[in-house]
Amino acid sequence: MAKLVECVPNFSEGRNQEVIEKIVDEVRKVKEVKLLDYLPDEDHNRTVVTLIGSPEKVKEAVINLAKTATELIDMTTHHGGHPRMGAVDVVPFTPVADITMDECVQLAKEVGEEIGSWGIPVYLYEDAANTPARKNLADVRKGQYEGFFQKIEEEQWKPDYGPQAMNAKSGCTAVGARVALVAFNVNLGTDNLEIADAIAKKVRFIGGGLRFAKAIGLKLEERNIVQVSMNLVNYEKTAVYRAFEMVKMEARRYGVPVVGSEVIGTVPMKSLLDAAEYYLQIENFDINQILEKRLLE
Amino acid sequence: MAKLVECVPNFSEGRNQEVIEKIVDEVRKVKEVKLLDYLPDEDHNRTVVTLIGSPEKVKEAVINLAKTATELIDMTTHHGGHPRMGAVDVVPFTPVADITMDECVQLAKEVGEEIGSWGIPVYLYEDAANTPARKNLADVRKGQYEGFFQKIEEEQWKPDYGPQAMNAKSGCTAVGARVALVAFNVNLGTDNLEIADAIAKKVRFIGGGLRFAKAIGLKLEERNIVQVSMNLVNYEKTAVYRAFEMVKMEARRYGVPVVGSEVIGTVPMKSLLDAAEYYLQIENFDINQILEKRLLE
């Protein structure tokens, strides 16, 4: 199989269709790259694009997308519900096939350097971070666009690329590399948000739970139930079925049933096949037994 | 996604490597077709080839393979442990993507007609069968090569294509269309073959069990355990997890645990994702959420 990398750039425009299409067109123009999805969000005033392809072609498409977004978006007038620090807000690369995390880090650095050369401060995050303080995107983005005019003056927030001075029109950009994330929510047969919260706290890493699980409790108003909403940031090490069973196990203490679950967005086959392998007790399973895997070789 | 069909021709040579390679080369020569596997079996003196591609290209590769097998194999001297009726013994087509069973039946008929034009009696079977009596391959092949010199004289065994006279050198051929088959075995924590047999009889269709399950009890001598060995001939309707749970449920009456399972050979992604969906209680799951599915579009 050829090297495949996924990139999920987020840019700060979710309302103006004409602008959104012009930016996304930069991906469409690179024929060898596949545009999997793009989701403009009006409330967030932000669009999340998912593209996939060879490292070279994804790099080309993402740089073109960033260039056009930089031209067309003006952060001085941007408002929206989602935290953001720049026109091209975050650019994470994720290994998909036959590619190492190191190669994705290298790709992040090349793209970061390019964006920096346009006069935009760039921070490397997650696996591409140069210091532990920049690993977590939330830490990097803290203060957001508005706060960065000050934050960037601090020595510890000197950008990895670009000037140590805020770019008023474009803000700054975080470029990173990370493993694929699986967004997985488990629905509980109760309307008691405290129970979902309590379970989330036990399941997640910071509460002493699973190493690669983030979790919060949420209320699903329409259905009048609650949910443990999780991000599994390394599904190979913290398997989906393990997180599921742990929520179920904790829910038992409250006599609350698990009434369903949701997988959000696109996920790698292996994240769910692991569950089939576990529950069906399959011995010596090899992912090459999957027809579609073979077809992609 | 482009139309994709799988074909699993079985030919009656499993010992002479030179002959086997010459026959399989016919698939390799058709560049657009993917040779997934070929498994020569010395005991059976038979080789099972799995190839996949567009209907046109698979047809081309299979006709070339059959032509070369017909030239190189002489049934008058063939011996082997597996039932067989011809040099090109069976040629089943299976829909993989964006293709209907009717199109596979049409493909079977075209290939059958071609092989018949070489002076070889051809029988259409499974979904391609013209009468219920020819649906089951075992019924068609009954009597084998040796018995066919007589069987073919019977009016009810007049071939669908080719002469109503046995071809001594090449025997006859069954060409068919069928859904993908999942070979799935469940291992039990006992050495009592009677228990595996009893469970197999309850799970399989002819015993009043699942509509698309065939099952037998087997002993795994090396591990000193027994196994319920199943062929699920329509995994979309008789799901793998349902067969698994039914074996588990029946095993409970004997106090026998399920100690593992095996998936044999290549299976479509969906056959195992169904299990993940069931056990994780995923709501509104869409197979297009699987990254690899999207990559194949």
PDB file of all heavy atoms in Angstrom, chain A residues 228-255:
ATOM      1  N   VAL A 228     -22.082   9.724  28.174  1.00  0.00           N
ATOM      2  CA  VAL A 228     -20.653   9.875  28.444  1.00  0.00           C
ATOM      3  C   VAL A 228     -19.991  10.071  27.082  1.00  0.00           C
ATOM      4  O   VAL A 228     -19.979   9.162  26.252  1.00  0.00           O
ATOM      5  CB  VAL A 228     -20.063   8.647  29.165  1.00  0.00           C
ATOM      6  CG1 VAL A 228     -18.565   8.846  29.401  1.00  0.00           C
ATOM      7  CG2 VAL A 228     -20.789   8.394  30.482  1.00  0.00           C
ATOM      8  N   SER A 229     -19.534  11.287  26.839  1.00  0.00           N
ATOM      9  CA  SER A 229     -18.971  11.654  25.540  1.00  0.00           C
ATOM     10  C   SER A 229     -17.457  11.549  25.618  1.00  0.00           C
ATOM     11  O   SER A 229     -16.825  12.224  26.424  1.00  0.00           O
ATOM     12  CB  SER A 229     -19.405  13.076  25.191  1.00  0.00           C
ATOM     13  OG  SER A 229     -18.791  13.474  23.983  1.00  0.00           O
ATOM     14  N   MET A 230     -16.878  10.682  24.780  1.00  0.00           N
ATOM     15  CA  MET A 230     -15.442  10.413  24.891  1.00  0.00           C
ATOM     16  C   MET A 230     -14.673  10.738  23.616  1.00  0.00           C
ATOM     17  O   MET A 230     -15.194  10.599  22.510  1.00  0.00           O
ATOM     18  CB  MET A 230     -15.219   8.936  25.215  1.00  0.00           C
ATOM     19  CG  MET A 230     -15.752   8.536  26.576  1.00  0.00           C
ATOM     20  SD  MET A 230     -15.412   6.804  26.993  1.00  0.00           S
ATOM     21  CE  MET A 230     -16.757   6.000  26.099  1.00  0.00           C
ATOM     22  N   ASN A 231     -13.444  11.151  23.786  1.00  0.00           N
ATOM     23  CA  ASN A 231     -12.468  11.190  22.704  1.00  0.00           C
ATOM     24  C   ASN A 231     -11.390  10.176  23.038  1.00  0.00           C
ATOM     25  O   ASN A 231     -10.726  10.307  24.070  1.00  0.00           O
ATOM     26  CB  ASN A 231     -11.836  12.580  22.571  1.00  0.00           C
ATOM     27  CG  ASN A 231     -12.647  13.493  21.679  1.00  0.00           C
ATOM     28  OD1 ASN A 231     -13.463  13.024  20.884  1.00  0.00           O
ATOM     29  ND2 ASN A 231     -12.441  14.783  21.805  1.00  0.00           N
ATOM     30  N   LEU A 232     -11.247   9.185  22.193  1.00  0.00           N
ATOM     31  CA  LEU A 232     -10.194   8.197  22.401  1.00  0.00           C
ATOM     32  C   LEU A 232      -9.051   8.603  21.490  1.00  0.00           C
ATOM     33  O   LEU A 232      -9.145   8.488  20.264  1.00  0.00           O
ATOM     34  CB  LEU A 232     -10.720   6.790  22.082  1.00  0.00           C
ATOM     35  CG  LEU A 232     -11.970   6.415  22.894  1.00  0.00           C
ATOM     36  CD1 LEU A 232     -12.518   5.064  22.458  1.00  0.00           C
ATOM     37  CD2 LEU A 232     -11.684   6.426  24.391  1.00  0.00           C
ATOM     38  N   VAL A 233      -7.993   9.126  22.093  1.00  0.00           N
ATOM     39  CA  VAL A 233      -6.943   9.760  21.296  1.00  0.00           C
ATOM     40  C   VAL A 233      -5.882   8.762  20.832  1.00  0.00           C
ATOM     41  O   VAL A 233      -4.963   9.125  20.107  1.00  0.00           O
ATOM     42  CB  VAL A 233      -6.299  10.953  22.031  1.00  0.00           C
ATOM     43  CG1 VAL A 233      -7.332  12.052  22.244  1.00  0.00           C
ATOM     44  CG2 VAL A 233      -5.696  10.511  23.362  1.00  0.00           C
ATOM     45  N   ASN A 234      -6.006   7.507  21.240  1.00  0.00           N
ATOM     46  CA  ASN A 234      -5.170   6.450  20.685  1.00  0.00           C
ATOM     47  C   ASN A 234      -5.958   5.147  20.777  1.00  0.00           C
ATOM     48  O   ASN A 234      -5.884   4.430  21.780  1.00  0.00           O
ATOM     49  CB  ASN A 234      -3.835   6.347  21.434  1.00  0.00           C
ATOM     50  CG  ASN A 234      -2.890   5.354  20.779  1.00  0.00           C
ATOM     51  OD1 ASN A 234      -3.341   4.431  20.089  1.00  0.00           O
ATOM     52  ND2 ASN A 234      -1.602   5.526  20.977  1.00  0.00           N
ATOM     53  N   TYR A 235      -6.733   4.860  19.735  1.00  0.00           N
ATOM     54  CA  TYR A 235      -7.646   3.704  19.793  1.00  0.00           C
ATOM     55  C   TYR A 235      -6.889   2.387  19.729  1.00  0.00           C
ATOM     56  O   TYR A 235      -7.425   1.346  20.045  1.00  0.00           O
ATOM     57  CB  TYR A 235      -8.679   3.769  18.667  1.00  0.00           C
ATOM     58  CG  TYR A 235      -8.063   3.608  17.298  1.00  0.00           C
ATOM     59  CD1 TYR A 235      -7.845   2.335  16.768  1.00  0.00           C
ATOM     60  CD2 TYR A 235      -7.693   4.705  16.556  1.00  0.00           C
ATOM     61  CE1 TYR A 235      -7.255   2.186  15.521  1.00  0.00           C
ATOM     62  CE2 TYR A 235      -7.101   4.559  15.317  1.00  0.00           C
ATOM     63  CZ  TYR A 235      -6.888   3.301  14.806  1.00  0.00           C
ATOM     64  OH  TYR A 235      -6.296   3.137  13.589  1.00  0.00           O
ATOM     65  N   GLU A 236      -5.611   2.429  19.310  1.00  0.00           N
ATOM     66  CA  GLU A 236      -4.855   1.172  19.286  1.00  0.00           C
ATOM     67  C   GLU A 236      -4.474   0.762  20.701  1.00  0.00           C
ATOM     68  O   GLU A 236      -4.382  -0.418  21.002  1.00  0.00           O
ATOM     69  CB  GLU A 236      -3.620   1.294  18.398  1.00  0.00           C
ATOM     70  CG  GLU A 236      -3.993   1.702  16.980  1.00  0.00           C
ATOM     71  CD  GLU A 236      -2.986   1.222  15.941  1.00  0.00           C
ATOM     72  OE1 GLU A 236      -2.589   0.054  15.989  1.00  0.00           O
ATOM     73  OE2 GLU A 236      -2.602   2.042  15.083  1.00  0.00           O
ATOM     74  N   LYS A 237      -4.252   1.746  21.562  1.00  0.00           N
ATOM     75  CA  LYS A 237      -3.871   1.420  22.939  1.00  0.00           C
ATOM     76  C   LYS A 237      -5.060   1.470  23.894  1.00  0.00           C
ATOM     77  O   LYS A 237      -5.146   0.673  24.813  1.00  0.00           O
ATOM     78  CB  LYS A 237      -2.741   2.337  23.389  1.00  0.00           C
ATOM     79  CG  LYS A 237      -1.456   2.016  22.614  1.00  0.00           C
ATOM     80  CD  LYS A 237      -0.244   2.724  23.151  1.00  0.00           C
ATOM     81  CE  LYS A 237       1.005   2.277  22.392  1.00  0.00           C
ATOM     82  NZ  LYS A 237       2.079   3.273  22.465  1.00  0.00           N
ATOM     83  N   THR A 238      -5.939   2.428  23.718  1.00  0.00           N
ATOM     84  CA  THR A 238      -7.173   2.455  24.503  1.00  0.00           C
ATOM     85  C   THR A 238      -8.305   2.096  23.548  1.00  0.00           C
ATOM     86  O   THR A 238      -8.875   2.952  22.879  1.00  0.00           O
ATOM     87  CB  THR A 238      -7.390   3.839  25.143  1.00  0.00           C
ATOM     88  OG1 THR A 238      -6.370   4.082  26.118  1.00  0.00           O
ATOM     89  CG2 THR A 238      -8.736   3.921  25.851  1.00  0.00           C
ATOM     90  N   ALA A 239      -8.594   0.802  23.471  1.00  0.00           N
ATOM     91  CA  ALA A 239      -9.566   0.301  22.486  1.00  0.00           C
ATOM     92  C   ALA A 239     -10.981   0.783  22.800  1.00  0.00           C
ATOM     93  O   ALA A 239     -11.339   0.976  23.975  1.00  0.00           O
ATOM     94  CB  ALA A 239      -9.532  -1.216  22.450  1.00  0.00           C
ATOM     95  N   VAL A 240     -11.761   0.955  21.745  1.00  0.00           N
ATOM     96  CA  VAL A 240     -13.147   1.411  21.874  1.00  0.00           C
ATOM     97  C   VAL A 240     -13.937   0.468  22.792  1.00  0.00           C
ATOM     98  O   VAL A 240     -14.655   0.914  23.688  1.00  0.00           O
ATOM     99  CB  VAL A 240     -13.824   1.491  20.482  1.00  0.00           C
ATOM    100  CG1 VAL A 240     -15.299   1.834  20.627  1.00  0.00           C
ATOM    101  CG2 VAL A 240     -13.128   2.529  19.603  1.00  0.00           C
ATOM    102  N   TYR A 241     -13.763  -0.847  22.591  1.00  0.00           N
ATOM    103  CA  TYR A 241     -14.557  -1.787  23.400  1.00  0.00           C
ATOM    104  C   TYR A 241     -14.184  -1.704  24.875  1.00  0.00           C
ATOM    105  O   TYR A 241     -15.018  -1.905  25.754  1.00  0.00           O
ATOM    106  CB  TYR A 241     -14.420  -3.222  22.875  1.00  0.00           C
ATOM    107  CG  TYR A 241     -13.082  -3.876  23.130  1.00  0.00           C
ATOM    108  CD1 TYR A 241     -12.800  -4.474  24.360  1.00  0.00           C
ATOM    109  CD2 TYR A 241     -12.092  -3.899  22.152  1.00  0.00           C
ATOM    110  CE1 TYR A 241     -11.572  -5.068  24.596  1.00  0.00           C
ATOM    111  CE2 TYR A 241     -10.865  -4.487  22.392  1.00  0.00           C
ATOM    112  CZ  TYR A 241     -10.607  -5.069  23.613  1.00  0.00           C
ATOM    113  OH  TYR A 241      -9.399  -5.634  23.849  1.00  0.00           O
ATOM    114  N   ARG A 242     -12.931  -1.376  25.172  1.00  0.00           N
ATOM    115  CA  ARG A 242     -12.509  -1.289  26.574  1.00  0.00           C
ATOM    116  C   ARG A 242     -13.160  -0.089  27.252  1.00  0.00           C
ATOM    117  O   ARG A 242     -13.641  -0.175  28.375  1.00  0.00           O
ATOM    118  CB  ARG A 242     -10.985  -1.241  26.655  1.00  0.00           C
ATOM    119  CG  ARG A 242     -10.458  -1.907  27.914  1.00  0.00           C
ATOM    120  CD  ARG A 242      -8.945  -2.070  27.899  1.00  0.00           C
ATOM    121  NE  ARG A 242      -8.511  -2.874  26.779  1.00  0.00           N
ATOM    122  CZ  ARG A 242      -7.523  -2.546  25.935  1.00  0.00           C
ATOM    123  NH1 ARG A 242      -6.870  -1.414  26.097  1.00  0.00           N
ATOM    124  NH2 ARG A 242      -7.198  -3.342  24.944  1.00  0.00           N
ATOM    125  N   ALA A 243     -13.204   1.037  26.528  1.00  0.00           N
ATOM    126  CA  ALA A 243     -13.865   2.227  27.063  1.00  0.00           C
ATOM    127  C   ALA A 243     -15.358   1.948  27.263  1.00  0.00           C
ATOM    128  O   ALA A 243     -15.947   2.320  28.287  1.00  0.00           O
ATOM    129  CB  ALA A 243     -13.659   3.409  26.112  1.00  0.00           C
ATOM    130  N   PHE A 244     -15.943   1.256  26.293  1.00  0.00           N
ATOM    131  CA  PHE A 244     -17.375   0.923  26.370  1.00  0.00           C
ATOM    132  C   PHE A 244     -17.668   0.061  27.599  1.00  0.00           C
ATOM    133  O   PHE A 244     -18.588   0.346  28.377  1.00  0.00           O
ATOM    134  CB  PHE A 244     -17.775   0.193  25.084  1.00  0.00           C
ATOM    135  CG  PHE A 244     -19.208  -0.247  25.044  1.00  0.00           C
ATOM    136  CD1 PHE A 244     -20.222   0.673  24.847  1.00  0.00           C
ATOM    137  CD2 PHE A 244     -19.534  -1.588  25.197  1.00  0.00           C
ATOM    138  CE1 PHE A 244     -21.547   0.259  24.800  1.00  0.00           C
ATOM    139  CE2 PHE A 244     -20.850  -2.001  25.139  1.00  0.00           C
ATOM    140  CZ  PHE A 244     -21.861  -1.080  24.947  1.00  0.00           C
ATOM    141  N   GLU A 245     -16.871  -0.997  27.768  1.00  0.00           N
ATOM    142  CA  GLU A 245     -17.099  -1.906  28.893  1.00  0.00           C
ATOM    143  C   GLU A 245     -16.877  -1.200  30.230  1.00  0.00           C
ATOM    144  O   GLU A 245     -17.526  -1.506  31.225  1.00  0.00           O
ATOM    145  CB  GLU A 245     -16.196  -3.139  28.786  1.00  0.00           C
ATOM    146  CG  GLU A 245     -16.621  -4.121  27.695  1.00  0.00           C
ATOM    147  CD  GLU A 245     -17.980  -4.751  27.948  1.00  0.00           C
ATOM    148  OE1 GLU A 245     -18.371  -4.930  29.119  1.00  0.00           O
ATOM    149  OE2 GLU A 245     -18.678  -5.050  26.951  1.00  0.00           O
ATOM    150  N   MET A 246     -15.966  -0.242  30.243  1.00  0.00           N
ATOM    151  CA  MET A 246     -15.684   0.462  31.490  1.00  0.00           C
ATOM    152  C   MET A 246     -16.862   1.377  31.860  1.00  0.00           C
ATOM    153  O   MET A 246     -17.240   1.473  33.034  1.00  0.00           O
ATOM    154  CB  MET A 246     -14.406   1.267  31.338  1.00  0.00           C
ATOM    155  CG  MET A 246     -13.827   1.655  32.666  1.00  0.00           C
ATOM    156  SD  MET A 246     -12.072   1.989  32.496  1.00  0.00           S
ATOM    157  CE  MET A 246     -11.753   2.568  34.156  1.00  0.00           C
ATOM    158  N   VAL A 247     -17.450   2.032  30.870  1.00  0.00           N
ATOM    159  CA  VAL A 247     -18.638   2.848  31.135  1.00  0.00           C
ATOM    160  C   VAL A 247     -19.765   1.958  31.657  1.00  0.00           C
ATOM    161  O   VAL A 247     -20.429   2.269  32.653  1.00  0.00           O
ATOM    162  CB  VAL A 247     -19.090   3.595  29.858  1.00  0.00           C
ATOM    163  CG1 VAL A 247     -20.464   4.240  30.070  1.00  0.00           C
ATOM    164  CG2 VAL A 247     -18.055   4.653  29.456  1.00  0.00           C
ATOM    165  N   LYS A 248     -19.956   0.821  31.023  1.00  0.00           N
ATOM    166  CA  LYS A 248     -21.009  -0.126  31.415  1.00  0.00           C
ATOM    167  C   LYS A 248     -20.807  -0.589  32.860  1.00  0.00           C
ATOM    168  O   LYS A 248     -21.755  -0.662  33.639  1.00  0.00           O
ATOM    169  CB  LYS A 248     -20.929  -1.348  30.492  1.00  0.00           C
ATOM    170  CG  LYS A 248     -22.233  -1.695  29.820  1.00  0.00           C
ATOM    171  CD  LYS A 248     -22.006  -2.553  28.609  1.00  0.00           C
ATOM    172  CE  LYS A 248     -22.402  -3.981  28.796  1.00  0.00           C
ATOM    173  NZ  LYS A 248     -22.392  -4.711  27.490  1.00  0.00           N
ATOM    174  N   MET A 249     -19.557  -0.891  33.145  1.00  0.00           N
ATOM    175  CA  MET A 249     -19.221  -1.400  34.469  1.00  0.00           C
ATOM    176  C   MET A 249     -19.492  -0.349  35.538  1.00  0.00           C
ATOM    177  O   MET A 249     -20.076  -0.641  36.579  1.00  0.00           O
ATOM    178  CB  MET A 249     -17.741  -1.807  34.423  1.00  0.00           C
ATOM    179  CG  MET A 249     -17.201  -2.440  35.658  1.00  0.00           C
ATOM    180  SD  MET A 249     -16.209  -1.251  36.566  1.00  0.00           S
ATOM    181  CE  MET A 249     -14.743  -1.163  35.532  1.00  0.00           C
ATOM    182  N   GLU A 250     -19.124   0.888  35.255  1.00  0.00           N
ATOM    183  CA  GLU A 250     -19.368   1.951  36.225  1.00  0.00           C
ATOM    184  C   GLU A 250     -20.863   2.273  36.340  1.00  0.00           C
ATOM    185  O   GLU A 250     -21.344   2.621  37.417  1.00  0.00           O
ATOM    186  CB  GLU A 250     -18.579   3.216  35.846  1.00  0.00           C
ATOM    187  CG  GLU A 250     -17.071   3.087  35.982  1.00  0.00           C
ATOM    188  CD  GLU A 250     -16.608   2.886  37.420  1.00  0.00           C
ATOM    189  OE1 GLU A 250     -17.340   3.280  38.352  1.00  0.00           O
ATOM    190  OE2 GLU A 250     -15.508   2.316  37.608  1.00  0.00           O
ATOM    191  N   ALA A 251     -21.563   2.134  35.215  1.00  0.00           N
ATOM    192  CA  ALA A 251     -23.001   2.444  35.220  1.00  0.00           C
ATOM    193  C   ALA A 251     -23.770   1.470  36.106  1.00  0.00           C
ATOM    194  O   ALA A 251     -24.802   1.812  36.684  1.00  0.00           O
ATOM    195  CB  ALA A 251     -23.555   2.421  33.790  1.00  0.00           C
ATOM    196  N   ARG A 252     -23.241   0.255  36.231  1.00  0.00           N
ATOM    197  CA  ARG A 252     -23.928  -0.775  37.030  1.00  0.00           C
ATOM    198  C   ARG A 252     -24.097  -0.354  38.490  1.00  0.00           C
ATOM    199  O   ARG A 252     -25.077  -0.724  39.123  1.00  0.00           O
ATOM    200  CB  ARG A 252     -23.140  -2.095  36.964  1.00  0.00           C
ATOM    201  CG  ARG A 252     -23.469  -2.915  35.742  1.00  0.00           C
ATOM    202  CD  ARG A 252     -23.182  -4.400  35.968  1.00  0.00           C
ATOM    203  NE  ARG A 252     -21.763  -4.698  36.104  1.00  0.00           N
ATOM    204  CZ  ARG A 252     -20.928  -4.949  35.089  1.00  0.00           C
ATOM    205  NH1 ARG A 252     -21.380  -4.922  33.845  1.00  0.00           N
ATOM    206  NH2 ARG A 252     -19.676  -5.222  35.305  1.00  0.00           N
ATOM    207  N   ARG A 253     -23.139   0.412  39.000  1.00  0.00           N
ATOM    208  CA  ARG A 253     -23.249   0.789  40.415  1.00  0.00           C
ATOM    209  C   ARG A 253     -24.462   1.669  40.665  1.00  0.00           C
ATOM    210  O   ARG A 253     -24.954   1.791  41.778  1.00  0.00           O
ATOM    211  CB  ARG A 253     -21.965   1.479  40.904  1.00  0.00           C
ATOM    212  CG  ARG A 253     -21.949   2.971  40.717  1.00  0.00           C
ATOM    213  CD  ARG A 253     -21.114   3.735  41.735  1.00  0.00           C
ATOM    214  NE  ARG A 253     -19.934   3.037  42.212  1.00  0.00           N
ATOM    215  CZ  ARG A 253     -19.055   3.582  43.059  1.00  0.00           C
ATOM    216  NH1 ARG A 253     -19.245   4.817  43.506  1.00  0.00           N
ATOM    217  NH2 ARG A 253     -18.006   2.927  43.443  1.00  0.00           N
ATOM    218  N   TYR A 254     -24.940   2.327  39.589  1.00  0.00           N
ATOM    219  CA  TYR A 254     -26.132   3.176  39.715  1.00  0.00           C
ATOM    220  C   TYR A 254     -27.390   2.454  39.236  1.00  0.00           C
ATOM    221  O   TYR A 254     -28.461   3.039  39.169  1.00  0.00           O
ATOM    222  CB  TYR A 254     -25.955   4.475  38.915  1.00  0.00           C
ATOM    223  CG  TYR A 254     -24.692   5.225  39.276  1.00  0.00           C
ATOM    224  CD1 TYR A 254     -23.551   5.132  38.500  1.00  0.00           C
ATOM    225  CD2 TYR A 254     -24.656   6.016  40.422  1.00  0.00           C
ATOM    226  CE1 TYR A 254     -22.386   5.806  38.838  1.00  0.00           C
ATOM    227  CE2 TYR A 254     -23.494   6.695  40.777  1.00  0.00           C
ATOM    228  CZ  TYR A 254     -22.360   6.586  39.979  1.00  0.00           C
ATOM    229  OH  TYR A 254     -21.223   7.244  40.330  1.00  0.00           O
ATOM    230  N   GLY A 255     -27.242   1.206  38.826  1.00  0.00           N
ATOM    231  CA  GLY A 255     -28.380   0.476  38.263  1.00  0.00           C
ATOM    232  C   GLY A 255     -28.868   1.107  36.975  1.00  0.00           C
ATOM    233  O   GLY A 255     -30.034   0.994  36.612  1.00  0.00           O
TER     234      GLY A 255
END
